[in-house]
Amino acid sequence: MALKLEHLIVRQGAFQLIADFEVPTHSFTSVIGPSGAGKSTLFDAVSGFLKPAKGRVLWQGDDLTNRPPGDRPVAMLFQDNNLFPHLTIGQNIGLALSKRRRLSPAHQDHVERVLARVGLDGMTDRKMSQLSGGQISRAALARLLLQDRPLWLLDEPFSALGPALKSEMLTLVRDMATEKQATVLMITHDPTDAHAVAPLSVLVAEGQANGPFDTAELLNNPPPALSDYLG
Amino acid sequence: MASRVVAIIPAGLVAALVAMPLAAVFLRAGGGASLAAGDWAALRFTVWQAFLSALLSCLLAIPAARALSRRRFPGRDSLVTILGAPFILPVIVAILGLLAVFGREGMISQGLHLLGLPRLQIYGLQGILLAHVFFNLPLAIRLLLQGWSDIPAERFRLAAQLGLPAPTMFRVIEWPMLRKTLPGAFLVIFTICLSSFAVALTLGGGPKATTVELAIYQAFRFDFDLGKAATLATVQLALVGTASLVLLRLVGPLTGDLGLGRVQHRWDGNSSLARILDVASITLVGLFLLLPILSVVLRGAAGLADLPASVWIAAGHSVGVALASTTLCIALAVPLASARHGQTVALLGFALSPLVLGTGLFLLLQPYTNPFEWALVVTFIVNALMALPFATRAIAPALEQAEADYGRTADMLGLTGWSRWRWLILPRIQQPLGFSAGLAAALSMGDLGVIILFADPERATLPLQMYRLMGAYQMEAAAGAALLLLGLSLGVFWLFDKGGRYGLEA
């Protein structure tokens, strides 16, 4: 009983997505399906960027449906623009702890420890423009950790990285999620990603989100909607 | 969204600042007052000179913009940048420069005199047109240059492959672009020239060369006939309001951010005639724009040493007015830029002439206090309203972009209210904010408009003081004041614009 989408209907213009499933706590679930099928729409409903037309979003039995995005137990990584380019890494990450101009020494300390955890030790004062793609991903992950929310939504967060870096980041995310006991939903269009880190998978296709299925089973015997996409 | 609520207060303030003076004007005009023959003449002249100014600017811009779009030469980008400068150049400074070149005692007249030919006569319609072309030819060139840059490069390649002769190429590629671009450029310049005041004040006058704005001033200052001034203000409002509405409908709001315009690689224009034409256009435009400014600098340097104290006092007033005007303009522009209707409200400033607003404010203040004591306050408020459309136009796109790119990240972090402004929006709009502040400050610094309605000997701004020195034929001191004013206007623009880029990566 963790994240439950109860008879959820989300509409965006003429598009409609029906979602009715639940994923257990501390699980790592991939969200897979053809592009344009509504994977991001599903995330928007869970994170609060889109108000569902019908149904409810429940977390541990708590109704989230009417709460604003900043007030949900949800932390999200977007495909890009996760970090403000006009701030340093430290300022960007620190926003997860405090909105004040200056961080308290305790917060500062916390930021530095988390940066060290993702392999960015000593880079607190770097500007975003001085970072490589891999470092930006690590910084975004650091903020996810500092936000300290139990539910992580990852919207193809490492799609801009090369294959080696991407698999390194995925492993890091999985390890961190295990350590933090987070529940993770991750949109991906790459079945290898799902294989690598997500034991469970939700299939989004033809206006419906169903699951969760065992990832290996789903990918080995895909239903027609998925097999068309996987080719 | 919360910013909508925030935008209501400044929108209401702007509406009130515009509506109350207008109401005062209408009440005073009484609706029944009829126009005298002289007023009709002023109306006809206003439209006629604006028409001719726009026509000349557009026609002269065609060869110059064409040359700039197809020739690469050292200093090209600097020249295109300088084309943006007249916008923040104080009118009165430019007029002094134009007098130095085209006036009775100017360079050209001296040359003609040596040859035994009559001197140039600058005062009257020809002088007004000269000044209007000086200010608006650069704008026309930049608008057309943008049009040329926007022509897809493939069309020129195709034309070259087909071996199209120059006239055919002009007809099938360039003329369609001009047909789209020219009406907009013409209308913009026509509308700007309708509310020309300082130019008409200094180079026009008399029954044959009086604009409506100038007539308002004369009714006000010479006859102190407030009823007549109000009637004329109503006429001016109808005139500029109609032109602005047509402009908005046909062209859309004017953007201030024209790029450098890339040079098109073309395979024509290698004939010697084309080369001569291009070189001549660029040289003439360059000289026409630079010579007057250069002469202001050279003559002013001599007068700068012993400026009368009155000039320094006026300069102090101008700096204060410019800073106050900038503060008000930005304080109104930022919230207005964040709301759709706010931008419409901000456009009111474009449709109103400063002298109409000034007349209204005078009528409002008169029953309660001595309006002349409020000269500087009224000036900075009117200046802020005038700069407002440009500021909102510059800020709004950056604001929208910040929300589009990073709004969700900010939502996710729970950044609302002030912390959203502090962490997301202000850093992302820093550059257009600096640019707008520079624009507002420079426009206010150089403005010779509403201040002249209200001014008494004690409260002059620098442009007004300069005008008075010119009127008293103290040309040495006027030249010194002109250089000071030029330096201050360009200086405040540079400072604010630079400030807006502070800390940004190159």
Side-chain angles (χ1 to χ4, degrees):
Chain A
M1 284 296 274
L3 175 69
K4 182 172 185 185
L5 305 184
E6 195 180 73
H7 312 299
L8 198 67
I9 299 180
V10 201
R11 292 201 181 100
Q12 240 182 345
F15 177 77
Q16 172 174 300
L17 179 74
I18 301 173
D20 194 15
F21 65 85
E22 57 185 271
V23 292
T25 20
H26 314 325
S27 62
F28 201 123
T29 307
S30 84
V31 176
I32 196 163
S35 45
K39 302 188 292 288
S40 293
T41 308
L42 178 70
F43 269 25
D44 283 348
V46 177
S47 56
F49 288 110
L50 255 183
K51 215 174 146 49
K54 278 210 181 89
R56 298 196 296 168
V57 178
L58 300 162
W59 171 252
Q60 313 279 43
D62 241 3
D63 189 352
L64 304 182
T65 319
N66 291 316
R67 287 212 228 153
D71 196 26
R72 296 189 179 207
V74 177
M76 191 161 173
L77 276 193
F78 307 106
Q79 287 182 32
D80 43 30
N81 295 339
N82 284 297
L83 303 163
F84 298 135
H86 47 274
L87 302 181
T88 62
I89 299 191
Q91 287 172 316
N92 261 305
I93 310 303
L95 280 176
L97 298 175
S98 156
K99 278 33 168 191
R100 292 187 189 216
R101 180 179 282 269
R102 290 195 154 275
L103 290 180
S104 65
H107 280 158
Q108 192 72 35
D109 202 47
H110 198 173
V111 165
E112 276 170 28
R113 264 184 291 132
V114 171
L115 281 176
R117 285 293 285 121
V118 298
L120 294 176
D121 13 357
M123 302 183 99
T124 322
D125 294 326
R126 292 278 180 96
K127 280 265 191 183
M128 301 316 294
S129 56
Q130 296 169 311
L131 300 185
S132 68
Q135 288 171 324
I136 290 173
S137 301
R138 285 169 188 273
L141 177 61
R143 195 182 60 210
L144 199 70
L145 296 174
L146 269 189
Q147 275 181 275
D148 207 20
R149 306 271 169 97
L151 179 57
W152 295 1
L153 302 183
L154 316 178
D155 187 351
E156 294 193 53
F158 311 121
S159 53
L161 301 181
L165 258 179
K166 183 164 91 169
S167 101
E168 195 184 318
M169 282 307 299
L170 285 175
T171 314
L172 185 59
V173 167
R174 189 191 52 197
D175 295 348
M176 294 292 161
T178 314
E179 185 185 313
K180 285 273 189 180
Q181 298 200 310
T183 305
V184 184
L185 286 168
M186 180 179 76
I187 292 178
T188 178
H189 58 253
D190 187 349
T192 32
D193 291 354
H195 260 310
V197 292
L200 297 176
S201 283
V202 164
L203 174 64
V204 180
E206 294 166 338
Q208 297 230 6
N210 290 312
F213 307 101
D214 180 88
T215 301
E217 232 167 80
L218 180 73
L219 293 174
N220 291 335
N221 307 296
L226 185 59
S227 62
D228 287 349
Y229 166 64
L230 294 175
Chain B
M1 228 166 77
S3 63
R4 289 225 177 94
V5 184
V6 176
I8 288 176
I9 298 163
L13 192 64
V14 172
L17 277 175
V18 169
M20 281 168 32
L22 285 188
V25 165
F26 284 139
L27 281 178
R28 186 61 186 235
S34 59
L35 294 176
D39 304 334
W40 282 110
L43 179 57
R44 275 196 306 273
F45 179 77
T46 304
V47 175
W48 179 234
Q49 60 80 21
F51 174 82
L52 288 178
S53 301
L55 188 69
L56 283 174
S57 300
C58 287
L59 286 181
L60 294 173
I62 295 172
R66 190 168 194 243
L68 282 172
S69 80
R70 68 180 182 186
R71 300 286 173 207
R72 226 181 293 254
F73 55 92
R76 177 202 175 266
D77 288 0
S78 313
L79 183 60
V80 176
T81 307
I82 289 170
L83 291 177
F87 193 70
I88 54 169
L89 188 68
V91 177
I92 188 84
V93 170
I95 284 169
L96 197 72
L98 287 170
L99 284 173
V101 178
F102 298 97
R104 257 192 80 75
E105 305 294 328
M107 291 182 223
I108 296 177
S109 287
Q110 304 284 18
L112 290 173
H113 186 65
L114 284 179
L115 297 172
L117 295 166
R119 292 170 178 272
L120 292 179
Q121 177 53 262
I122 193 173
Y123 293 99
L125 176 62
Q126 63 272 34
I128 293 177
L129 294 183
L130 184 74
H132 283 169
V133 170
F134 177 85
F135 276 101
N136 295 300
L137 174 61
L139 175 63
I141 292 176
R142 295 191 69 167
L143 290 169
L144 295 190
L145 186 57
Q146 194 62 50
W148 252 291
S149 310
D150 291 345
I151 296 176
E154 291 77 9
R155 293 203 192 149
F156 288 108
R157 288 163 182 256
L158 187 63
Q161 281 202 320
L162 295 173
L164 295 185
T168 316
M169 190 153 145
F170 182 81
R171 189 165 48 81
V172 300
I173 298 179
E174 302 180 274
W175 177 241
M177 180 279 292
L178 286 173
R179 262 187 44 182
K180 265 200 306 192
T181 321
L182 274 176
F186 179 90
L187 260 178
V188 168
I189 297 170
F190 178 77
T191 310
I192 291 173
C193 291
L194 281 181
S195 12
S196 174
F197 171 69
V199 167
L201 175 73
T202 43
L203 296 174
K208 274 189 180 164
T210 296
T211 60
V212 178
E213 291 265 291
L214 188 56
I216 296 174
Y217 163 71
Q218 285 164 351
F220 213 102
R221 286 303 277 207
F222 299 165
D223 313 331
F224 205 68
D225 186 344
L226 290 178
K228 187 178 176 191
T231 308
L232 285 165
T234 315
V235 170
Q236 176 70 6
L237 179 70
L239 190 61
V240 181
T242 312
S244 302
L245 280 180
V246 173
L247 181 66
L248 277 179
R249 285 297 289 271
L250 292 185
V251 190
L254 180 63
T255 51
D257 47 351
L258 293 167
L260 285 178
R262 68 197 161 92
V263 175
Q264 285 275 19
H265 190 58
R266 292 168 59 164
W267 289 265
D268 66 323
N270 294 320
S271 70
S272 38
L273 179 69
R275 281 174 197 275
I276 291 169
L277 191 73
D278 284 357
V279 171
S281 315
I282 292 172
T283 312
L284 284 177
V285 166
L287 286 178
F288 177 52
L289 294 178
L290 289 176
L291 273 186
I293 302 307
L294 208 62
S295 74
V296 165
V297 174
L298 292 179
R299 288 181 187 209
L304 208 54
D306 46 3
L307 281 176
S310 64
V311 168
W312 291 110
I313 295 169
H317 288 158
S318 274
V319 171
V321 165
L323 292 181
S325 173
T326 305
T327 310
L328 178 62
C329 177
I330 295 300
L332 292 171
V334 171
L336 286 178
S338 67
R340 183 167 284 277
H341 292 295
Q343 295 181 49
T344 318
V345 172
L347 280 171
L348 281 174
F350 195 67
L352 287 172
S353 85
L355 261 72
V356 173
L357 271 185
T359 308
L361 287 169
F362 190 98
L363 293 169
L364 281 179
L365 289 172
Q366 196 196 17
Y368 307 104
T369 172
N370 174 10
F372 295 109
E373 285 176 14
W374 293 80
L376 297 178
V377 174
V378 167
T379 301
F380 96 70
I381 292 175
V382 171
N383 286 346
L385 289 177
M386 294 298 141
L388 198 51
F390 302 105
T392 45
R393 279 299 298 172
I395 294 168
L399 231 156
E400 280 160 26
Q401 196 65 49
E403 281 292 346
D405 288 347
Y406 299 100
R408 288 160 65 98
T409 298
D411 287 344
M412 181 52 61
L413 289 167
L415 291 177
T416 53
W418 169 241
S419 61
R420 196 183 189 85
W421 282 92
R422 157 86 185 77
W423 289 108
L424 170 60
I425 297 177
L426 287 178
R428 302 305 299 166
I429 64 171
Q430 179 187 335
Q431 197 169 338
L433 207 60
F435 172 78
S436 306
L439 213 58
L443 287 176
S444 174
M445 188 76 78
D447 179 54
L448 177 60
V450 69
I451 180 71
I452 206 169
L453 283 185
F454 283 76
D456 57 19
E458 285 153 47
R459 273 171 280 265
T461 58
L462 189 49
L464 178 58
Q465 193 57 33
M466 203 190 130
Y467 172 66
R468 286 176 176 165
L469 289 170
M470 285 165 72
Y473 292 104
Q474 298 189 32
M475 296 316 274
E476 188 107 327
L483 183 56
L484 180 62
L485 179 55
L486 180 67
L488 283 174
S489 293
L490 300 183
V492 284
F493 176 78
W494 184 83
L495 265 180
F496 278 114
D497 189 48
K498 189 89 179 164
R501 293 165 202 269
Y502 178 79
L504 298 182
E505 243 81 21

